[in-house]
Amino acid sequence: PNGAVDMAFMVHLENGTIANYTPIYPGGMTHPSQSEPAGTGVGGRMLLHDCLWDGVKPGMKYASEIVEYNTKMHADAVVIVYTDGIDAIIKSISPLKVDGVETNLSAEDIIRENDAYNGYPGNGNVQGNMSRGDAVMVLVKALAEAAKDPTKKNTMVQTALDQYSKGNIIMTPEGS
């Protein structure tokens, strides 16, 4: 109902600059005590993938707890970027250069081009040869490279603020 966590990152900032990204694939990550939401039909402890099921606000808290429990990394803030939000940022500076090639693809398509599972385990039409984390990092690196251009960076920030106001980017604590 509120989306799924398909990929997460722990982002370490130093003096307002990104110092490190740690990709966190949600597969198999469970909450230390919360049960899986009934509507998922899964049972057992809550999976990171399903933590938003019963609402974004509690889901963000659960996501933080699940990541910390499984990785021992503490998050001071949690940010959700929905597909519409990231796609608006990409479109605002389009075409995006991915591995040196200009593209107008969506975030999902960029990831699926590189993901060995093409988003679906067992899919016979797999194009990529990377893990989900590495496939997402291709997109992250392309956006980081684009942000080196001050004009594009400003456009990306303004678009992100617009997407935040539209609810396509959500943060807790708010405004973090």
Side-chain angles (χ1 to χ4, degrees):
N2 294 295
V5 177
D6 285 332
M7 192 68 207
F9 286 89
M10 185 65 73
V11 179
H12 178 75
L13 299 175
E14 288 181 8
N15 300 320
T17 301
I18 296 172
N20 186 38
Y21 293 98
T22 303
I24 299 170
Y25 185 70
M29 286 196 178
T30 60
H31 194 280
S33 60
Q34 287 293 322
S35 296
E36 182 74 0
T40 64
V42 176
R45 288 189 297 166
M46 178 185 289
L47 297 168
L48 178 56
H49 183 267
D50 301 327
C51 68
L52 302 173
W53 189 272
D54 288 331
V56 171
K57 189 172 181 176
M60 292 175 85
K61 179 179 178 291
Y62 296 147
S64 179
E65 293 168 351
I66 291 167
V67 168
E68 186 164 354
Y69 174 72
N70 286 270
T71 68
K72 308 301 182 234
M73 291 186 282
H74 175 75
D76 295 323
V78 176
V79 179
I80 295 174
V81 182
Y82 286 110
T83 304
D84 288 347
I86 193 68
D87 283 345
I89 293 167
I90 292 169
K91 188 175 182 181
S92 75
I93 56 162
S94 189
L96 180 65
K97 242 184 204 177
V98 179
D99 288 333
V101 178
E102 289 187 348
T103 183
N104 289 308
L105 294 174
S106 68
E108 185 175 317
D109 288 336
I110 291 168
I111 293 164
R112 286 195 175 159
E113 275 195 345
N114 294 294
D115 188 343
Y117 299 101
N118 201 16
Y120 306 96
N123 186 336
N125 202 16
V126 172
Q127 299 171 12
N129 60 6
M130 298 178 184
S131 70
R132 173 70 54 85
D134 288 344
V136 173
M137 282 305 294
V138 167
L139 173 60
V140 170
K141 288 176 182 175
L143 290 168
E145 187 63 30
K148 289 179 181 177
D149 175 327
T151 302
K152 286 184 178 183
K153 181 178 183 177
N154 183 54
T155 299
M156 293 165 75
V157 168
Q158 293 306 313
T159 303
L161 291 170
D162 176 61
Q163 291 302 304
Y164 176 77
S165 72
K166 292 177 177 174
N168 292 324
I169 298 175
I170 303 168
M171 301 176 204
T172 187
E174 215 172 290
S176 50

